[in-house]
Amino acid sequence: MKRLPILALLLWICSIFYVGIYLFVGGFLLVRLEVNRTSTCGDVLLPGADVREDFCLKEPRFRRAVILIIDALKADFARYDPGNASPRAFENKLPVLDEMASSRPAQSRLYTFRADPPTTTMQRIKGFTTGSLPTFIDVGNNFASSAVLEDNLVHQLGQAGKRVVFMGDDTWVSLFPRKFHRSLPFPSFNVKDLHTVDNGILQNIFPTMEGDDWDVLIAHFLGVDHCGHRFGPDHPAMAEKLTQMDGVIRSVINRLQNDTLLVVMGDHGMTDTGDHGGESQKETDAALFLYSGSPLFPTPGSQVEPEVVPQTDLVPTLALLLGVPIPYSSVGQVLLPLFSFNSSLGAPSGLSQAEALWINVKQVNRFLETYSSMAKDIPANSLSQLQSHFTQLSSQYLSSVSKDAPPSPELVASMQAYLSSVRETCRASWARFNPLKMAAGLLVMGLACVVCYVLSELSLLVLQDGVLKVPMLSGLLVGGTVAAGQLFTLGFVEVSWCVVVSVLMSEVTLLWRSRRAFARSSSRGRLSLRHLPLPLLILLLRCASLLSDSYVISEGRVVTFLLFTLGLYVPLRLNWDGLLVPSPPPDTQKPPGLLPPSLPLSTVRRESTALLVSAGVLVGCLYLSLSFHSCREEQGSCQPSAFLTPLSRVQDSRMRNLHYVLSLASLSAWAFLLHRWLRHYGNLNCTSVAVFTARFLLPLASICMGLHWAVSATPEDSFRNLAELISLAQVALPRVSFGLLGLGLLLLWLDPLTVFLKTRAPVNSRGPSMPPPRYRASTGISPQAELHHLIPQLYQRMRRSLEDGRAEGAEEDGRPAVEAYGLGTVYSAPLVLLCGMLGLGLLLLHPEGMALAFLLMLLQAAALLHLHASSSTLSSLQSHSNIFSVPWAPVVLWSLAASQFFHATGHLPTFPSIQWGAAFVGFPQGHSGTVLPAALVTLNTFASHILFAVGCPLLLFWPLVREVRGTRTGRSGAGEDGDDVAMEMRLRENPQQFSSALLQLALRYLFISGAQVLASVCAAAILRRHLMVWKVFAPKLMFEASGFIVSSVFVLVGVALVMRVDVAVARLFQKLLPHNSR
């Protein structure tokens, strides 16, 4: 086997796709330009004020402020309905907010507080401290918070000499390092921990308030958010947590002084399942409660109250109430009800509404002028209109001030309109794109798909000619030339464009060099672009569906339908060709040489039955898998699968026990079927470490997983005496499982062979009456398995191959000196074992109810493999291509199954659907870094992609595993021994075709996955101004691109394991024939 050329070619193809994805994403998801300038007290001067007068030295409306951030305080949680006799767990649990708003209307207000997406905690903290708008790509930084560089409220408070004390979510400390007078951060990422952060705040907040060493107190509670992630909003734990927050608010109000402002707010909401991150109204609408011991608001009905307060509006409002400048980059608008109708700057009541608006308008205009001079993404006509509007406002306001007359209501409304216009213009402009990078990424990925297709069809010629050297050298040469030119002309090197030119040159060179071979293959009928086979048409439909938001929203059912259609196409096509039903007996009057080749009737019946049974199992698995889908917010009345709920959140004890029994049965069935297959094919008879892994490590890991599920399902309020033991088990059991599986993977790589060899004594050493030796008892396999999978003549064939055709070493009775068990599945057995261990590890990262979905995945994969094997056997006499070549149909089916089970394991291409709990399996106390939790969440999200990618080579081996005697005689040229069932050893007899078929299979799988990424890229590019681009197409692009990267890596892992087995097999035969081996 040509191992190095295959790996080099696959790595090159993957790298090309990675470059294309990087370029397009870099042009499609740009972070807006940050203006690193800071507002000063002199910027807030009012018309006619003394230049030496400092705004920050004036007495502010409030001397102190207490800001309570209750993470994920949904707007519905804050509403109180006295007529609700049977409230749900999250209803009517914060009565203090309604009591204060109704009994003290001049001192308190309750608003709906609307966040800008993405609704992740870090972006929301940035939003209500800087007053700026986030960009889509900022959601990726939620794993690793970086310091806020823009001007912000925390910085302004510190500059004004105010002592800011923080306690709670440690995200604040990473966002605002060394900005707090005192800070008490607590770890925030463990969503299963409901109490650590909240209890830490409660131990410190009241002593701090009673002291005098603070001016602004910020407390960020996390219990409500974590309760939503772990249990959902409608759970008794949520009622307890909200009731606790009600008590906290009451206690804080009782300790407030008249010069202190209380702000209670949520940073975002949550869905009905407790998730957030998207832009649905349930996720964006939080609660905002404002309270002061002294009168703060006008009489109800005296002016129009806003129904919804944007989060960005809190920044300028708090800044002016506390007497500090508005942060430089804020695009928020002051909340007018907190300012009086008419007053002067020195009045005790603080700024008037017109004065606050004018300060706000000047600050926003200053930011707009600075930003437009630094970045050119705001349209010129919009910028001109806004500047003209500001000039008009400035003239009118200065005129009213010079006349010592209050600004008219029309002027106030005009200033509000100006601020709203600026915010909407910025929001539209910051969704900007780099068309050149996007076009370069599209071109690179499009050519990568063409190259991948061409090479897959010319895999045998590619390995013979070694076409990769010239394209690589030409690409490096051209890329280096461009870099040198940039350095000479510009003085610096833009690496991205050098890489683009290099990759494009290598692609074009390879296609140019392959044109003749492609033309020859086309002329022989091997390639036909005019008549695409149905599997590629199905792939085309799959790619076309990604251009429609409706199809993307319903992607789970769309992929299931396409898989169902193509699965039924295979038997229907065989029946159309007359291969599914046994043909009538041949004409006995014709000479045998004139009879067309045909399979025995028994073989046709057996394979047809197996094919139809496999198709039935496939259809059944597809139907049952629909029961495990989750729901998007756009799907309306859709109900997510009950199996997605962790056992700890199932309140009905009977239902919890039933789910546990089903999960345990599915886990046991997974381990049993894996063990049964390996035993059936004689792969558990030797003493290698791979067999040790299958016999001992795999069952032990399964037992630990079952015990872990039992411990995790235990309610927190039960077995209080065993709380420490349960906590220890929640850490130890999953870690032991991960350790056992990791050790098994390592041992499998070190020694992947599962072959059992037996030598027998010479014939003349036994008496003539002694029967031939039998190893049935010693090997422990059935007589039927021994008959079919003990390969007595196989070693003899391999020996003749290794000895260049010299038949030596055969015994006089025709039996070989060595008998081998498991040699017929020497390549597939390690792959099956690898998939089994990876499957258990990935299942551990999912909710317990997904065990049944993983069992369906195993059964469906087996059905696809048997469908392919039976189809290959029935059509074996019609095929004239490479004897091991895998057709397009099974490869497309295999790829579609990966996408289908992405949805059938409860995943969706949306950020709120990410199962963050996977990061804490085995680590309930959280992590010190971000790499490990990010890796665990990635493995959880793309579990189906990983399993089907690493198991892709099984499509090559399975027809050989299920080889029927005599079916490959005419195709393999086996000669006299053509009737022997050689199984996977035929690959060793044809190393060139083995290498070609393995390369072709990997390239076809990469082509199918790459085509889907290209379709998502095209959808995002074409529909970049579509209403649903950030809600549907951009997340789909991110998930599709990430899925391709993960799949390509594990395709390489699967191919590398096959090569590792091939090396081990070669060494095995070298040991057996040390003098005559090649």
Side-chain angles (χ1 to χ4, degrees), residues 864-884:
L864 290 175
L865 291 172
H866 281 72
L867 191 73
H868 166 49
S870 298
S871 173
S872 298
T873 300
L874 292 173
S875 58
S876 58
L877 298 179
Q878 285 191 346
S879 177
H880 302 287
S881 60
N882 183 355
I883 61 173
F884 306 123

Side-chain angles (χ1 to χ4, degrees), residues 542-549 551-552 1015-1016 1018-1020 1022-1023 1033:
R542 159 73 174 150
C543 295
S545 69
L546 298 177
L547 294 167
S548 167
D549 59 331
Y551 280 97
V552 173
S1016 297
C1018 291
I1022 296 171
L1023 304 172
F1033 295 111

Side-chain angles (χ1 to χ4, degrees), residues 16-240:
I16 290 176
F17 276 108
Y18 299 161
V19 170
I21 292 171
Y22 170 77
L23 286 171
F24 184 86
V25 170
F28 183 72
L29 303 176
L30 287 180
V31 180
R32 65 174 177 82
L33 180 67
E34 292 185 350
V35 179
N36 294 325
R37 297 192 182 183
T38 305
S39 297
T40 63
C41 295
D43 297 330
V44 200
L45 290 176
L46 293 172
D50 188 350
V51 176
R52 294 169 295 177
E53 196 171 33
D54 193 338
F55 168 79
C56 299
L57 298 179
K58 293 294 182 181
E59 185 70 22
R61 175 66 179 86
F62 292 99
R63 189 173 64 90
R64 285 179 168 182
V66 177
I67 303 174
L68 303 182
I69 303 165
I70 303 177
D71 206 294
L73 183 62
K74 191 177 180 180
D76 294 342
F77 296 172
R79 298 190 180 102
Y80 185 82
D81 182 9
N84 188 352
S86 56
R88 299 169 68 180
F90 60 86
E91 294 177 337
N92 290 1
K93 297 302 183 294
L94 292 170
V96 62
L97 304 182
D98 181 75
E99 291 174 10
M100 294 297 164
S102 57
S103 63
R104 305 178 187 178
Q107 298 172 246
S108 57
R109 283 290 191 277
L110 179 62
Y111 297 107
T112 297
F113 201 34
R114 182 158 295 169
D116 291 291
T119 49
T120 50
T121 296
M122 191 198 74
Q123 283 70 41
R124 294 298 85 240
I125 295 175
K126 284 184 176 181
F128 58 67
T129 55
T130 64
S132 61
L133 300 173
T135 55
F136 179 86
I137 201 170
D138 278 345
V139 73
N141 295 327
N142 206 44
F143 262 121
S145 307
S146 55
V148 175
L149 301 178
E150 285 186 301
D151 192 13
N152 57 81
L153 200 55
V154 176
H155 173 75
Q156 288 294 342
L157 291 169
Q159 289 292 103
K162 294 187 179 294
R163 297 161 295 179
V164 182
V165 176
F166 168 77
M167 55 188 69
D169 184 350
D170 60 355
T171 304
W172 285 76
V173 179
S174 58
L175 289 176
F176 307 103
R178 300 180 299 277
K179 295 291 184 181
F180 298 111
H181 176 67
R182 190 170 74 255
S183 63
L184 296 169
F186 300 95
S188 62
F189 196 60
N190 186 1
V191 294
K192 291 188 177 182
D193 184 0
L194 308 185
H195 308 297
T196 298
V197 176
D198 293 2
N199 292 342
I201 295 174
L202 293 178
Q203 292 172 5
N204 294 278
I205 185 171
F206 301 123
T208 300
M209 289 185 65
E210 293 168 359
D212 196 40
D213 190 26
W214 66 279
D215 294 306
V216 177
L217 174 60
I218 302 174
H220 191 152
F221 295 88
L222 286 176
V224 173
D225 178 70
H226 286 187
C227 185
H229 284 298
R230 184 174 180 182
F231 300 112
D234 198 8
H235 191 275
M238 181 63 77
E240 296 177 6

